[in-house]
């Protein structure tokens, strides 16, 4: 099997490439990534020597001639992870989100159509459904899309485009919508790696609003296994929710991390809330369980221990990131609040 993976130097894409190359011998992957602030070549050092099975191309998914050239090699599937992925950044400036997350998807779809590529797998998010109240049932695939941030609006737009290409051109597409991932190699701007690394550095842990917003957490490798199942066996034109059935309010996660690292709760700093902050996400993943036999296999306690251990053992990875461009953004964001 030959895959084109886009955005494979980011958090989930690099975990996907590493786990796929480890699991399947008869697999080769082209990874197309722009290396934005979130892309990191170091994430894939373990496979870069594997020239027969892994090829890296630096480039933009909105670059039609480049994408067309790569797609003309007719991979068996295109798995699109490439995106601007951080809600807070989208609140500061939505431009890159619309370009990559919408125009980029259109470009990929057009090139796949032009060259008659098999399956297109769009990696989407639970955030397209909007926000739940405390007693609401979890999101199902038939829910209306009600995105509340520029990030989620751009992802919802992409989902609609993918659907339209299936209906109009009969393209073979599948969409996965997953809940919040955590695990190794996650950029330390997202909640869990930010809190772990700040705690290690004895810096304040900024908790937005009352800290009672709820997310449904999934270990990244469980997400990767689900994507593999959907890519191989999902029904064309179908959407699959993926979730960990693991809801926690943010403040509980933050306190758990501090407890595990033996750091004081006095490091917690409640800060002004994120504008338009979704209150709760929760996923009903019955469809993927019943149709494809996927269930998550990593419990939260096990996953968070592995994640904390990885950040302790890979301090040079995240220290480099935190001392660079990331800091400018961090200051801009907190200056903005
Ligand atoms: P990430 O920000 O860690 O990585 C994104 C990657 O895309 C980076 O390597 C970046 O260099 C690359 N990229 C950005 N713009 C590009 C462009 N124009 N052309 C080529 N490459 C480009 O993101 P992530 O957390 O790994 O998320 C991957 C995908 O999964 C995204 O589509 C996101 O919406 C979705 N998702 C993420 C989560 C989560 O919890 N992180 C949950 C559900 C869905
Ligand atoms: P995040 O990791 O940005 O993911 P998303 O907003 O896409 O779900 O945030 C997860 C939750 O943590 C969300 O409710 C916002 C909150 N949060 C904080 O309280 N403090 C922070 O510094 C960050 C980054 C997030």
């Amino acid at each position: 099997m030959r895959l084109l993976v886009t955005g494979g130097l980011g958090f989930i894409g690099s975990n996907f490439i590493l786990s796929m190359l480890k699991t399947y011998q008869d697999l080769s992957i082209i990874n197309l990534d722009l290396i934005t602030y979130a892309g990191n070549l170091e994430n894939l050092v373990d496979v870069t020597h594997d020239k027969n099975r892994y090829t890296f191309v630096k480039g933009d998914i909105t670059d039609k001639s480049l994408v067309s050239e790569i797609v003309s090699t007719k991979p068996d599937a295109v798995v699109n992870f490439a995106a601007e992925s951080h809600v807070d950044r989208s609140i500061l400036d939505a431009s890159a989100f619309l370009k990559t997350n919408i125009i980029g998807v259109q470009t990929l779809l057009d090139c796949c159509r032009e060259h008659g590529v098999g399956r297109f797998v769009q990696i989407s998010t639970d955030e397209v459904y909007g926000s739940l109240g405390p007693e609401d049932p979890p999101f199902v695939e038939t829910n209306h899309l009600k995105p509340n941030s520029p990030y989620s609006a751009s992802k919802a737009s992409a989902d609609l485009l993918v659907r339209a290409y299936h209906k109009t051109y009969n393209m073979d597409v599948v969409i996965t919508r997953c809940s919040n991932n955590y695990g190794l190699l996650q950029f330390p701007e997202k909640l869990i790696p930010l809190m772990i690394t700040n705690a290690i550095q004895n810096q304040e842990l900024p908790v937005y609003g009352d800290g009672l917003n709820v997310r449904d957490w999934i270990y990244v490798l469980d997400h990767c296994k689900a994507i593999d199942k959907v890519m191989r066996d999902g029904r064309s034109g179908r959407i699959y929710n993926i979730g960990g059935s693991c809801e926690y309010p943010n403040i509980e996660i933050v306190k758990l991390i501090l407890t595990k690292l033996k750091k004081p709760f006095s490091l917690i700093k409640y800060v002004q809330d994120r504008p338009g902050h979704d209150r709760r996400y929760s996923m009903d993943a019955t469809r993927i369980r019943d149709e494809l036999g996927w269930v998550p296999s990593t419990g939260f306690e096990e996953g968070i221990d592995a994640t904390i251990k990885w950040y302790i053992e890979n301090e040079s990875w995240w220290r480099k990131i935190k001392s660079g461009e990331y800091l400018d953004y961090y200051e801009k964001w907190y200056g903005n609040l």
Side-chain angles (χ1 to χ4, degrees), residues 5-15 31-41 43 56-63 67 80-86 89 96 99-101 104-105 108 122-127 151 154-155 176-182 185-187 189-190 216-218 220 223 227 242 283:
V5 170
T6 58
L9 292 182
F11 165 48
I12 306 172
S14 56
N15 275 288
N31 174 17
L32 171 64
D33 194 298
L34 186 57
I35 323 188
T36 67
Y37 79 94
N40 190 340
L41 282 164
N43 293 0
F56 175 66
V57 180
K58 181 180 187 307
D60 194 325
I61 59 164
T62 65
D63 179 344
V67 173
N80 179 37
F81 294 92
E84 288 293 332
S85 68
H86 192 37
R89 288 179 186 260
K99 184 171 181 238
T100 292
N101 300 3
V105 170
L108 290 168
Q122 171 65 4
I123 308 303
S124 186
T125 166
D126 59 358
E127 305 195 22
Y151 162 68
S154 69
K155 294 295 290 185
T176 60
R177 291 185 181 147
C178 191
S179 59
N180 285 63
N181 286 220
Y182 68 99
L185 297 168
Q186 188 169 29
F187 195 88
E189 65 184 352
K190 306 281 167 55
D216 178 355
W217 294 97
I218 182 170
V220 64
H223 183 193
I227 294 167
I242 301 168
M283 285 303 243

Side-chain angles (χ1 to χ4, degrees), residues 200-214:
I200 292 173
Q201 293 179 297
N202 296 310
Q203 289 174 355
E204 284 173 345
L205 276 56
V207 173
Y208 298 166
D210 61 8
L212 296 177
N213 298 68
V214 171

